[in-house]
Amino acid sequence: MPPVFLLFINKQLASRTKKYYTFIKTEVKVLQWIKQIISKKSFLQKKITKIVGVTLIYYLIFQVGASGVFLFLKHVLKWPLQRLNQSGWPYLAAILFGFIFIILISSKQDWQRYWQTGPQKMTAKTFLSLIAILLTGQIAASLFAQFLESVFQLFGLSVLAQLKDATQHSESFSMLLYAAVFGPLLEELVFRGFVLQSLNKINSVLAILGSAYLFGLYHVNFVQSPFAFLIGLVLGYTALTYGLFWSLLLHIFNNFVLGDFLNQLLRLVPTIAANEISSGLILFGGIIGVLVLAAKSQLIKDWFSKLKLSRQFIKLYFGNHLVILITVSVVIIACLSLSRV
């Protein structure tokens, strides 16, 4: 065979070998890339499960603790039922148990991260604007509650009993301490401290959305949960932007000033006038909140665009088996507490 022809064949073989090598190398890179995606997805899924699992353990500790102290006061100390229903001591004891749990799972670095100041400085104008937005959320939640009532009445059911539980005010000093101070403190540590800061390592928007969703769920109430979700969005944004101290202060202001304190003031006037004043204040504040949101709409859009919450993160979080399990369980429990018309 002529040497020129052999040289031609060798070149063809070398060319094909190089192509096959390049193809195989590309395939290996693709497989490695797919493996990295699967590995990252699995890692994030485990991380989300761990975060949500901690909140579930906290919730169970709180409920079991409160129930245990309630039974102790009833059967051992022989407290009458009326006194027990008005007392905040079972919940204050449960908060202590919950606080111990948070201490056990949090490192020194975690506590520093929980209480770190935000990138922006809080001003009086901003704080008042956030209060107004909370009132907007209260109006939206009230409208949603009315819608739910209309839907459930079609099936002979009502959410009015849950509405009464959601709007009930403190009738003792211990209950006031729980609802206005120590309850908000522990909730902020759990949801805007642990949950928010943990999810923030994945995505800031997911951190706000995910922490607010869990905060709403654990209120286990068709009326209260939607409002808790909305207020959770505001508190989550506040914690990330200004710091946990300000979200705590805003939470206390909502529970104490807009709740128990305002209720005590309105008791000084006739019931009809008190209802009109209360509705007027909420409506006025809610309208201001809408105006604030409208004025800041472009900034809000830019903020969301900058952080870019991908569909993958949304699917990973809300498609998480534990999140689904808790959601279904809460819906079932809330349905069981519905009253018949």
Side-chain angles (χ1 to χ4, degrees):
M1 189 177 290
V4 176
F5 185 70
L6 288 173
L7 183 62
F8 173 76
I9 292 176
N10 288 335
K11 284 184 178 180
Q12 289 293 318
L13 288 173
S15 177
R16 290 184 179 183
T17 303
K18 186 177 180 180
K19 286 181 180 178
Y20 285 136
Y21 174 76
T22 304
F23 175 76
I24 293 171
K25 189 176 180 181
T26 303
E27 287 292 307
V28 169
K29 286 184 177 179
V30 170
L31 289 173
Q32 288 177 344
W33 179 68
I34 293 173
K35 185 178 179 180
Q36 286 176 356
I37 292 176
I38 294 173
S39 178
K40 183 180 179 181
K41 183 178 179 181
S42 177
F43 171 77
L44 291 176
Q45 196 67 267
K46 289 179 181 178
K47 187 177 181 65
I48 290 170
T49 300
K50 180 181 178 182
I51 294 168
V52 177
V54 167
T55 66
L56 179 60
I57 294 172
Y58 149 76
Y59 177 77
L60 293 175
I61 288 174
F62 186 91
Q63 294 299 322
V64 171
S67 300
V69 174
F70 184 91
L71 293 173
F72 175 80
L73 294 175
K74 180 181 180 181
H75 296 291
V76 178
L77 298 186
K78 305 298 182 182
W79 280 24
L81 190 59
Q82 183 179 1
R83 183 183 178 185
L84 278 171
N85 289 333
Q86 295 177 350
S87 175
W89 285 114
Y91 305 106
L92 289 172
I95 282 177
L96 178 61
F97 302 145
F99 189 69
I100 292 172
F101 174 66
I102 294 299
I103 290 175
L104 292 175
I105 66 167
S106 301
S107 65
K108 184 179 179 180
Q109 289 74 22
D110 290 331
W111 285 101
Q112 291 174 347
R113 196 170 69 251
Y114 297 162
W115 291 102
Q116 66 185 354
T117 56
Q120 296 185 30
K121 185 178 180 180
M122 178 64 76
T123 63
K125 181 180 178 181
T126 301
F127 192 77
L128 291 174
S129 297
L130 291 170
I131 292 171
I133 294 172
L134 289 182
L135 292 173
T136 302
Q138 188 169 338
I139 293 173
S142 298
L143 293 174
F144 182 71
Q146 292 178 17
F147 169 75
L148 279 181
E149 177 66 13
S150 301
V151 173
F152 280 122
Q153 281 194 358
L154 296 175
F155 303 93
L157 300 170
S158 174
V159 297
L160 292 180
Q162 295 185 9
L163 179 62
K164 184 179 179 181
D165 291 338
T167 56
Q168 191 172 11
H169 298 287
S170 302
E171 297 183 9
S172 66
F173 182 68
S174 59
M175 184 63 80
L176 179 65
L177 284 177
Y178 160 69
V181 182
F182 293 106
L185 174 60
L186 183 60
E187 287 176 344
E188 290 306 302
L189 284 173
V190 173
F191 296 101
R192 259 68 62 180
F194 172 76
V195 177
L196 186 79
Q197 294 299 336
S198 298
L199 290 176
N200 192 39
K201 296 177 181 178
I202 303 174
N203 180 273
S204 295
V205 178
L206 179 65
I208 295 173
L209 189 63
S211 61
Y213 184 72
L214 289 176
F215 183 59
L217 275 184
Y218 286 126
H219 281 75
V220 198
N221 186 307
F222 282 126
V223 175
Q224 201 169 8
S225 288
F227 176 61
F229 170 70
L230 293 175
I231 190 178
L233 294 176
V234 179
L235 294 174
Y237 167 78
T238 303
L240 278 186
T241 308
Y242 304 101
L244 186 66
F245 171 80
W246 292 106
S247 67
L248 173 60
L249 195 62
L250 194 63
H251 198 159
I252 290 174
F253 188 93
N254 177 78
N255 286 23
F256 177 60
V257 178
L258 298 180
D260 288 297
F261 182 73
L262 182 61
N263 179 64
Q264 290 297 325
L265 283 180
L266 293 177
R267 286 184 178 182
L268 301 176
V269 298
T271 304
I272 297 177
N275 291 334
E276 291 178 351
I277 293 171
S278 177
S279 300
L281 287 173
I282 293 173
L283 181 61
F284 176 74
I287 292 173
I288 298 297
V290 171
L291 295 175
V292 170
L293 290 173
K296 302 290 184 181
S297 60
Q298 190 58 49
L299 289 174
I300 295 172
K301 289 179 182 178
D302 293 341
W303 186 75
F304 274 102
S305 299
K306 181 180 178 182
L307 295 173
K308 295 180 181 178
L309 176 60
S310 67
R311 291 182 179 180
Q312 179 192 3
F313 289 153
I314 295 176
K315 288 180 180 179
L316 279 174
Y317 186 83
F318 292 99
N320 180 275
H321 294 161
L322 189 55
V323 173
I324 294 173
L325 176 63
I326 295 172
T327 302
V328 172
S329 300
V330 165
V331 171
I332 293 173
I333 294 171
C335 286
L336 292 175
S337 63
L338 291 170
S339 57
R340 294 194 173 274
V341 178

PDB file of all heavy atoms in Angstrom, residues 40-71:
ATOM      1  N   LYS A  40     -26.900  19.272  44.663  1.00  0.00           N
ATOM      2  CA  LYS A  40     -27.290  20.552  45.259  1.00  0.00           C
ATOM      3  C   LYS A  40     -28.762  20.539  45.655  1.00  0.00           C
ATOM      4  O   LYS A  40     -29.135  21.024  46.725  1.00  0.00           O
ATOM      5  CB  LYS A  40     -27.025  21.687  44.274  1.00  0.00           C
ATOM      6  CG  LYS A  40     -27.331  23.069  44.832  1.00  0.00           C
ATOM      7  CD  LYS A  40     -27.042  24.159  43.807  1.00  0.00           C
ATOM      8  CE  LYS A  40     -27.393  25.531  44.386  1.00  0.00           C
ATOM      9  NZ  LYS A  40     -27.153  26.613  43.396  1.00  0.00           N
ATOM     10  N   LYS A  41     -29.602  19.968  44.782  1.00  0.00           N
ATOM     11  CA  LYS A  41     -31.028  19.866  45.074  1.00  0.00           C
ATOM     12  C   LYS A  41     -31.266  19.029  46.319  1.00  0.00           C
ATOM     13  O   LYS A  41     -32.083  19.383  47.180  1.00  0.00           O
ATOM     14  CB  LYS A  41     -31.757  19.269  43.874  1.00  0.00           C
ATOM     15  CG  LYS A  41     -33.261  19.193  44.037  1.00  0.00           C
ATOM     16  CD  LYS A  41     -33.909  18.635  42.785  1.00  0.00           C
ATOM     17  CE  LYS A  41     -35.424  18.535  42.964  1.00  0.00           C
ATOM     18  NZ  LYS A  41     -36.071  17.969  41.743  1.00  0.00           N
ATOM     19  N   SER A  42     -30.558  17.910  46.410  1.00  0.00           N
ATOM     20  CA  SER A  42     -30.684  17.028  47.578  1.00  0.00           C
ATOM     21  C   SER A  42     -30.215  17.735  48.844  1.00  0.00           C
ATOM     22  O   SER A  42     -30.855  17.608  49.902  1.00  0.00           O
ATOM     23  CB  SER A  42     -29.866  15.761  47.353  1.00  0.00           C
ATOM     24  OG  SER A  42     -29.911  14.924  48.476  1.00  0.00           O
ATOM     25  N   PHE A  43     -29.129  18.484  48.732  1.00  0.00           N
ATOM     26  CA  PHE A  43     -28.604  19.227  49.885  1.00  0.00           C
ATOM     27  C   PHE A  43     -29.602  20.275  50.364  1.00  0.00           C
ATOM     28  O   PHE A  43     -29.866  20.393  51.573  1.00  0.00           O
ATOM     29  CB  PHE A  43     -27.284  19.897  49.502  1.00  0.00           C
ATOM     30  CG  PHE A  43     -26.758  20.855  50.542  1.00  0.00           C
ATOM     31  CD1 PHE A  43     -26.137  20.372  51.690  1.00  0.00           C
ATOM     32  CD2 PHE A  43     -26.906  22.229  50.380  1.00  0.00           C
ATOM     33  CE1 PHE A  43     -25.662  21.249  52.657  1.00  0.00           C
ATOM     34  CE2 PHE A  43     -26.433  23.110  51.341  1.00  0.00           C
ATOM     35  CZ  PHE A  43     -25.812  22.623  52.479  1.00  0.00           C
ATOM     36  N   LEU A  44     -30.185  21.031  49.417  1.00  0.00           N
ATOM     37  CA  LEU A  44     -31.157  22.064  49.777  1.00  0.00           C
ATOM     38  C   LEU A  44     -32.419  21.450  50.368  1.00  0.00           C
ATOM     39  O   LEU A  44     -32.996  21.992  51.312  1.00  0.00           O
ATOM     40  CB  LEU A  44     -31.510  22.910  48.548  1.00  0.00           C
ATOM     41  CG  LEU A  44     -30.409  23.827  48.013  1.00  0.00           C
ATOM     42  CD1 LEU A  44     -30.860  24.525  46.736  1.00  0.00           C
ATOM     43  CD2 LEU A  44     -30.006  24.866  49.061  1.00  0.00           C
ATOM     44  N   GLN A  45     -32.843  20.313  49.810  1.00  0.00           N
ATOM     45  CA  GLN A  45     -34.029  19.637  50.324  1.00  0.00           C
ATOM     46  C   GLN A  45     -33.820  19.192  51.765  1.00  0.00           C
ATOM     47  O   GLN A  45     -34.711  19.345  52.621  1.00  0.00           O
ATOM     48  CB  GLN A  45     -34.354  18.430  49.442  1.00  0.00           C
ATOM     49  CG  GLN A  45     -35.754  17.881  49.640  1.00  0.00           C
ATOM     50  CD  GLN A  45     -36.835  18.828  49.175  1.00  0.00           C
ATOM     51  OE1 GLN A  45     -37.349  19.609  49.978  1.00  0.00           O
ATOM     52  NE2 GLN A  45     -37.194  18.774  47.912  1.00  0.00           N
ATOM     53  N   LYS A  46     -32.643  18.629  52.047  1.00  0.00           N
ATOM     54  CA  LYS A  46     -32.323  18.220  53.417  1.00  0.00           C
ATOM     55  C   LYS A  46     -32.255  19.423  54.352  1.00  0.00           C
ATOM     56  O   LYS A  46     -32.700  19.355  55.494  1.00  0.00           O
ATOM     57  CB  LYS A  46     -30.994  17.463  53.436  1.00  0.00           C
ATOM     58  CG  LYS A  46     -31.058  16.077  52.806  1.00  0.00           C
ATOM     59  CD  LYS A  46     -29.705  15.395  52.834  1.00  0.00           C
ATOM     60  CE  LYS A  46     -29.763  14.013  52.188  1.00  0.00           C
ATOM     61  NZ  LYS A  46     -28.430  13.355  52.176  1.00  0.00           N
ATOM     62  N   LYS A  47     -31.699  20.523  53.863  1.00  0.00           N
ATOM     63  CA  LYS A  47     -31.577  21.739  54.665  1.00  0.00           C
ATOM     64  C   LYS A  47     -32.952  22.300  55.018  1.00  0.00           C
ATOM     65  O   LYS A  47     -33.221  22.675  56.157  1.00  0.00           O
ATOM     66  CB  LYS A  47     -30.771  22.789  53.893  1.00  0.00           C
ATOM     67  CG  LYS A  47     -30.441  24.048  54.696  1.00  0.00           C
ATOM     68  CD  LYS A  47     -29.577  24.987  53.887  1.00  0.00           C
ATOM     69  CE  LYS A  47     -29.221  26.235  54.675  1.00  0.00           C
ATOM     70  NZ  LYS A  47     -28.375  25.937  55.841  1.00  0.00           N
ATOM     71  N   ILE A  48     -33.847  22.326  54.017  1.00  0.00           N
ATOM     72  CA  ILE A  48     -35.210  22.814  54.243  1.00  0.00           C
ATOM     73  C   ILE A  48     -35.947  21.907  55.223  1.00  0.00           C
ATOM     74  O   ILE A  48     -36.651  22.383  56.122  1.00  0.00           O
ATOM     75  CB  ILE A  48     -35.973  22.911  52.906  1.00  0.00           C
ATOM     76  CG1 ILE A  48     -35.400  24.047  52.053  1.00  0.00           C
ATOM     77  CG2 ILE A  48     -37.465  23.145  53.138  1.00  0.00           C
ATOM     78  CD1 ILE A  48     -35.921  24.076  50.629  1.00  0.00           C
ATOM     79  N   THR A  49     -35.782  20.593  55.054  1.00  0.00           N
ATOM     80  CA  THR A  49     -36.424  19.642  55.968  1.00  0.00           C
ATOM     81  C   THR A  49     -35.951  19.857  57.399  1.00  0.00           C
ATOM     82  O   THR A  49     -36.754  19.799  58.342  1.00  0.00           O
ATOM     83  CB  THR A  49     -36.115  18.194  55.524  1.00  0.00           C
ATOM     84  OG1 THR A  49     -36.611  17.985  54.208  1.00  0.00           O
ATOM     85  CG2 THR A  49     -36.769  17.188  56.468  1.00  0.00           C
ATOM     86  N   LYS A  50     -34.659  20.106  57.565  1.00  0.00           N
ATOM     87  CA  LYS A  50     -34.105  20.344  58.896  1.00  0.00           C
ATOM     88  C   LYS A  50     -34.687  21.612  59.514  1.00  0.00           C
ATOM     89  O   LYS A  50     -35.082  21.627  60.687  1.00  0.00           O
ATOM     90  CB  LYS A  50     -32.582  20.452  58.821  1.00  0.00           C
ATOM     91  CG  LYS A  50     -31.922  20.711  60.162  1.00  0.00           C
ATOM     92  CD  LYS A  50     -30.414  20.827  60.020  1.00  0.00           C
ATOM     93  CE  LYS A  50     -29.762  21.146  61.368  1.00  0.00           C
ATOM     94  NZ  LYS A  50     -28.293  21.298  61.238  1.00  0.00           N
ATOM     95  N   ILE A  51     -34.765  22.685  58.726  1.00  0.00           N
ATOM     96  CA  ILE A  51     -35.301  23.962  59.217  1.00  0.00           C
ATOM     97  C   ILE A  51     -36.752  23.806  59.638  1.00  0.00           C
ATOM     98  O   ILE A  51     -37.150  24.206  60.735  1.00  0.00           O
ATOM     99  CB  ILE A  51     -35.171  25.051  58.124  1.00  0.00           C
ATOM    100  CG1 ILE A  51     -33.693  25.355  57.843  1.00  0.00           C
ATOM    101  CG2 ILE A  51     -35.894  26.327  58.553  1.00  0.00           C
ATOM    102  CD1 ILE A  51     -33.469  26.197  56.603  1.00  0.00           C
ATOM    103  N   VAL A  52     -37.555  23.203  58.753  1.00  0.00           N
ATOM    104  CA  VAL A  52     -38.985  23.019  59.040  1.00  0.00           C
ATOM    105  C   VAL A  52     -39.166  22.048  60.204  1.00  0.00           C
ATOM    106  O   VAL A  52     -40.053  22.231  61.049  1.00  0.00           O
ATOM    107  CB  VAL A  52     -39.727  22.515  57.783  1.00  0.00           C
ATOM    108  CG1 VAL A  52     -41.198  22.249  58.091  1.00  0.00           C
ATOM    109  CG2 VAL A  52     -39.604  23.529  56.649  1.00  0.00           C
ATOM    110  N   GLY A  53     -38.323  21.023  60.273  1.00  0.00           N
ATOM    111  CA  GLY A  53     -38.396  20.054  61.366  1.00  0.00           C
ATOM    112  C   GLY A  53     -38.162  20.691  62.719  1.00  0.00           C
ATOM    113  O   GLY A  53     -38.823  20.341  63.708  1.00  0.00           O
ATOM    114  N   VAL A  54     -37.238  21.643  62.771  1.00  0.00           N
ATOM    115  CA  VAL A  54     -36.968  22.355  64.028  1.00  0.00           C
ATOM    116  C   VAL A  54     -38.210  23.125  64.473  1.00  0.00           C
ATOM    117  O   VAL A  54     -38.569  23.121  65.657  1.00  0.00           O
ATOM    118  CB  VAL A  54     -35.773  23.316  63.860  1.00  0.00           C
ATOM    119  CG1 VAL A  54     -35.689  24.289  65.035  1.00  0.00           C
ATOM    120  CG2 VAL A  54     -34.474  22.526  63.752  1.00  0.00           C
ATOM    121  N   THR A  55     -38.902  23.766  63.520  1.00  0.00           N
ATOM    122  CA  THR A  55     -40.116  24.526  63.882  1.00  0.00           C
ATOM    123  C   THR A  55     -41.221  23.593  64.372  1.00  0.00           C
ATOM    124  O   THR A  55     -41.989  23.944  65.259  1.00  0.00           O
ATOM    125  CB  THR A  55     -40.639  25.347  62.692  1.00  0.00           C
ATOM    126  OG1 THR A  55     -41.092  24.472  61.641  1.00  0.00           O
ATOM    127  CG2 THR A  55     -39.561  26.268  62.148  1.00  0.00           C
ATOM    128  N   LEU A  56     -41.294  22.401  63.779  1.00  0.00           N
ATOM    129  CA  LEU A  56     -42.304  21.430  64.215  1.00  0.00           C
ATOM    130  C   LEU A  56     -42.022  20.955  65.637  1.00  0.00           C
ATOM    131  O   LEU A  56     -42.948  20.849  66.460  1.00  0.00           O
ATOM    132  CB  LEU A  56     -42.331  20.239  63.251  1.00  0.00           C
ATOM    133  CG  LEU A  56     -43.325  19.129  63.585  1.00  0.00           C
ATOM    134  CD1 LEU A  56     -44.747  19.660  63.609  1.00  0.00           C
ATOM    135  CD2 LEU A  56     -43.203  17.980  62.577  1.00  0.00           C
ATOM    136  N   ILE A  57     -40.757  20.681  65.929  1.00  0.00           N
ATOM    137  CA  ILE A  57     -40.378  20.277  67.286  1.00  0.00           C
ATOM    138  C   ILE A  57     -40.699  21.396  68.274  1.00  0.00           C
ATOM    139  O   ILE A  57     -41.237  21.148  69.360  1.00  0.00           O
ATOM    140  CB  ILE A  57     -38.884  19.907  67.349  1.00  0.00           C
ATOM    141  CG1 ILE A  57     -38.603  18.656  66.507  1.00  0.00           C
ATOM    142  CG2 ILE A  57     -38.439  19.669  68.798  1.00  0.00           C
ATOM    143  CD1 ILE A  57     -37.137  18.337  66.351  1.00  0.00           C
ATOM    144  N   TYR A  58     -40.366  22.645  67.880  1.00  0.00           N
ATOM    145  CA  TYR A  58     -40.687  23.800  68.734  1.00  0.00           C
ATOM    146  C   TYR A  58     -42.182  23.864  68.998  1.00  0.00           C
ATOM    147  O   TYR A  58     -42.620  24.052  70.142  1.00  0.00           O
ATOM    148  CB  TYR A  58     -40.215  25.090  68.062  1.00  0.00           C
ATOM    149  CG  TYR A  58     -41.065  26.287  68.403  1.00  0.00           C
ATOM    150  CD1 TYR A  58     -40.959  26.913  69.640  1.00  0.00           C
ATOM    151  CD2 TYR A  58     -42.013  26.766  67.499  1.00  0.00           C
ATOM    152  CE1 TYR A  58     -41.769  27.999  69.968  1.00  0.00           C
ATOM    153  CE2 TYR A  58     -42.816  27.843  67.807  1.00  0.00           C
ATOM    154  CZ  TYR A  58     -42.698  28.461  69.047  1.00  0.00           C
ATOM    155  OH  TYR A  58     -43.505  29.525  69.354  1.00  0.00           O
ATOM    156  N   TYR A  59     -42.995  23.697  67.958  1.00  0.00           N
ATOM    157  CA  TYR A  59     -44.448  23.786  68.099  1.00  0.00           C
ATOM    158  C   TYR A  59     -44.967  22.703  69.042  1.00  0.00           C
ATOM    159  O   TYR A  59     -45.820  22.965  69.900  1.00  0.00           O
ATOM    160  CB  TYR A  59     -45.111  23.655  66.722  1.00  0.00           C
ATOM    161  CG  TYR A  59     -46.612  23.670  66.765  1.00  0.00           C
ATOM    162  CD1 TYR A  59     -47.319  24.857  66.946  1.00  0.00           C
ATOM    163  CD2 TYR A  59     -47.340  22.482  66.635  1.00  0.00           C
ATOM    164  CE1 TYR A  59     -48.706  24.866  66.993  1.00  0.00           C
ATOM    165  CE2 TYR A  59     -48.726  22.492  66.680  1.00  0.00           C
ATOM    166  CZ  TYR A  59     -49.398  23.680  66.856  1.00  0.00           C
ATOM    167  OH  TYR A  59     -50.775  23.679  66.912  1.00  0.00           O
ATOM    168  N   LEU A  60     -44.458  21.485  68.873  1.00  0.00           N
ATOM    169  CA  LEU A  60     -44.897  20.378  69.725  1.00  0.00           C
ATOM    170  C   LEU A  60     -44.479  20.602  71.175  1.00  0.00           C
ATOM    171  O   LEU A  60     -45.258  20.324  72.109  1.00  0.00           O
ATOM    172  CB  LEU A  60     -44.324  19.057  69.199  1.00  0.00           C
ATOM    173  CG  LEU A  60     -44.854  18.603  67.837  1.00  0.00           C
ATOM    174  CD1 LEU A  60     -44.117  17.348  67.373  1.00  0.00           C
ATOM    175  CD2 LEU A  60     -46.355  18.348  67.901  1.00  0.00           C
ATOM    176  N   ILE A  61     -43.266  21.107  71.386  1.00  0.00           N
ATOM    177  CA  ILE A  61     -42.799  21.420  72.741  1.00  0.00           C
ATOM    178  C   ILE A  61     -43.704  22.458  73.382  1.00  0.00           C
ATOM    179  O   ILE A  61     -44.105  22.334  74.545  1.00  0.00           O
ATOM    180  CB  ILE A  61     -41.341  21.919  72.718  1.00  0.00           C
ATOM    181  CG1 ILE A  61     -40.383  20.773  72.409  1.00  0.00           C
ATOM    182  CG2 ILE A  61     -40.961  22.564  74.059  1.00  0.00           C
ATOM    183  CD1 ILE A  61     -38.952  21.205  72.219  1.00  0.00           C
ATOM    184  N   PHE A  62     -44.055  23.465  72.602  1.00  0.00           N
ATOM    185  CA  PHE A  62     -44.918  24.534  73.119  1.00  0.00           C
ATOM    186  C   PHE A  62     -46.298  23.994  73.492  1.00  0.00           C
ATOM    187  O   PHE A  62     -46.814  24.283  74.582  1.00  0.00           O
ATOM    188  CB  PHE A  62     -45.054  25.645  72.069  1.00  0.00           C
ATOM    189  CG  PHE A  62     -45.805  26.852  72.554  1.00  0.00           C
ATOM    190  CD1 PHE A  62     -45.128  27.907  73.142  1.00  0.00           C
ATOM    191  CD2 PHE A  62     -47.187  26.930  72.424  1.00  0.00           C
ATOM    192  CE1 PHE A  62     -45.818  29.019  73.600  1.00  0.00           C
ATOM    193  CE2 PHE A  62     -47.887  28.035  72.886  1.00  0.00           C
ATOM    194  CZ  PHE A  62     -47.197  29.086  73.469  1.00  0.00           C
ATOM    195  N   GLN A  63     -46.904  23.218  72.589  1.00  0.00           N
ATOM    196  CA  GLN A  63     -48.251  22.710  72.828  1.00  0.00           C
ATOM    197  C   GLN A  63     -48.286  21.730  73.994  1.00  0.00           C
ATOM    198  O   GLN A  63     -49.175  21.805  74.858  1.00  0.00           O
ATOM    199  CB  GLN A  63     -48.787  22.038  71.558  1.00  0.00           C
ATOM    200  CG  GLN A  63     -49.002  22.979  70.395  1.00  0.00           C
ATOM    201  CD  GLN A  63     -50.004  24.073  70.695  1.00  0.00           C
ATOM    202  OE1 GLN A  63     -51.009  23.850  71.374  1.00  0.00           O
ATOM    203  NE2 GLN A  63     -49.727  25.269  70.210  1.00  0.00           N
ATOM    204  N   VAL A  64     -47.332  20.820  74.031  1.00  0.00           N
ATOM    205  CA  VAL A  64     -47.275  19.832  75.118  1.00  0.00           C
ATOM    206  C   VAL A  64     -46.980  20.530  76.443  1.00  0.00           C
ATOM    207  O   VAL A  64     -47.588  20.215  77.485  1.00  0.00           O
ATOM    208  CB  VAL A  64     -46.203  18.759  74.833  1.00  0.00           C
ATOM    209  CG1 VAL A  64     -45.988  17.858  76.052  1.00  0.00           C
ATOM    210  CG2 VAL A  64     -46.599  17.923  73.619  1.00  0.00           C
ATOM    211  N   GLY A  65     -46.074  21.510  76.412  1.00  0.00           N
ATOM    212  CA  GLY A  65     -45.740  22.260  77.623  1.00  0.00           C
ATOM    213  C   GLY A  65     -46.925  23.021  78.173  1.00  0.00           C
ATOM    214  O   GLY A  65     -47.214  22.961  79.383  1.00  0.00           O
ATOM    215  N   ALA A  66     -47.632  23.734  77.297  1.00  0.00           N
ATOM    216  CA  ALA A  66     -48.806  24.500  77.722  1.00  0.00           C
ATOM    217  C   ALA A  66     -49.903  23.579  78.253  1.00  0.00           C
ATOM    218  O   ALA A  66     -50.529  23.858  79.286  1.00  0.00           O
ATOM    219  CB  ALA A  66     -49.331  25.336  76.551  1.00  0.00           C
ATOM    220  N   SER A  67     -50.133  22.458  77.565  1.00  0.00           N
ATOM    221  CA  SER A  67     -51.167  21.507  78.000  1.00  0.00           C
ATOM    222  C   SER A  67     -50.804  20.876  79.342  1.00  0.00           C
ATOM    223  O   SER A  67     -51.668  20.696  80.212  1.00  0.00           O
ATOM    224  CB  SER A  67     -51.349  20.412  76.944  1.00  0.00           C
ATOM    225  OG  SER A  67     -51.751  20.964  75.719  1.00  0.00           O
ATOM    226  N   GLY A  68     -49.528  20.538  79.512  1.00  0.00           N
ATOM    227  CA  GLY A  68     -49.075  19.935  80.769  1.00  0.00           C
ATOM    228  C   GLY A  68     -49.248  20.863  81.953  1.00  0.00           C
ATOM    229  O   GLY A  68     -49.735  20.456  83.017  1.00  0.00           O
ATOM    230  N   VAL A  69     -48.865  22.126  81.786  1.00  0.00           N
ATOM    231  CA  VAL A  69     -49.007  23.103  82.870  1.00  0.00           C
ATOM    232  C   VAL A  69     -50.484  23.367  83.142  1.00  0.00           C
ATOM    233  O   VAL A  69     -50.900  23.520  84.302  1.00  0.00           O
ATOM    234  CB  VAL A  69     -48.271  24.417  82.511  1.00  0.00           C
ATOM    235  CG1 VAL A  69     -48.545  25.493  83.569  1.00  0.00           C
ATOM    236  CG2 VAL A  69     -46.777  24.171  82.384  1.00  0.00           C
ATOM    237  N   PHE A  70     -51.297  23.408  82.084  1.00  0.00           N
ATOM    238  CA  PHE A  70     -52.741  23.604  82.232  1.00  0.00           C
ATOM    239  C   PHE A  70     -53.346  22.485  83.093  1.00  0.00           C
ATOM    240  O   PHE A  70     -54.124  22.745  84.023  1.00  0.00           O
ATOM    241  CB  PHE A  70     -53.403  23.635  80.855  1.00  0.00           C
ATOM    242  CG  PHE A  70     -54.879  23.916  80.889  1.00  0.00           C
ATOM    243  CD1 PHE A  70     -55.350  25.217  80.796  1.00  0.00           C
ATOM    244  CD2 PHE A  70     -55.798  22.874  81.011  1.00  0.00           C
ATOM    245  CE1 PHE A  70     -56.720  25.477  80.822  1.00  0.00           C
ATOM    246  CE2 PHE A  70     -57.157  23.124  81.042  1.00  0.00           C
ATOM    247  CZ  PHE A  70     -57.618  24.437  80.947  1.00  0.00           C
ATOM    248  N   LEU A  71     -52.990  21.258  82.792  1.00  0.00           N
ATOM    249  CA  LEU A  71     -53.506  20.111  83.557  1.00  0.00           C
ATOM    250  C   LEU A  71     -53.000  20.120  84.993  1.00  0.00           C
ATOM    251  O   LEU A  71     -53.732  19.752  85.926  1.00  0.00           O
ATOM    252  CB  LEU A  71     -53.102  18.806  82.868  1.00  0.00           C
ATOM    253  CG  LEU A  71     -53.756  18.544  81.505  1.00  0.00           C
ATOM    254  CD1 LEU A  71     -53.159  17.306  80.849  1.00  0.00           C
ATOM    255  CD2 LEU A  71     -55.274  18.398  81.654  1.00  0.00           C
TER     256      LEU A  71
END
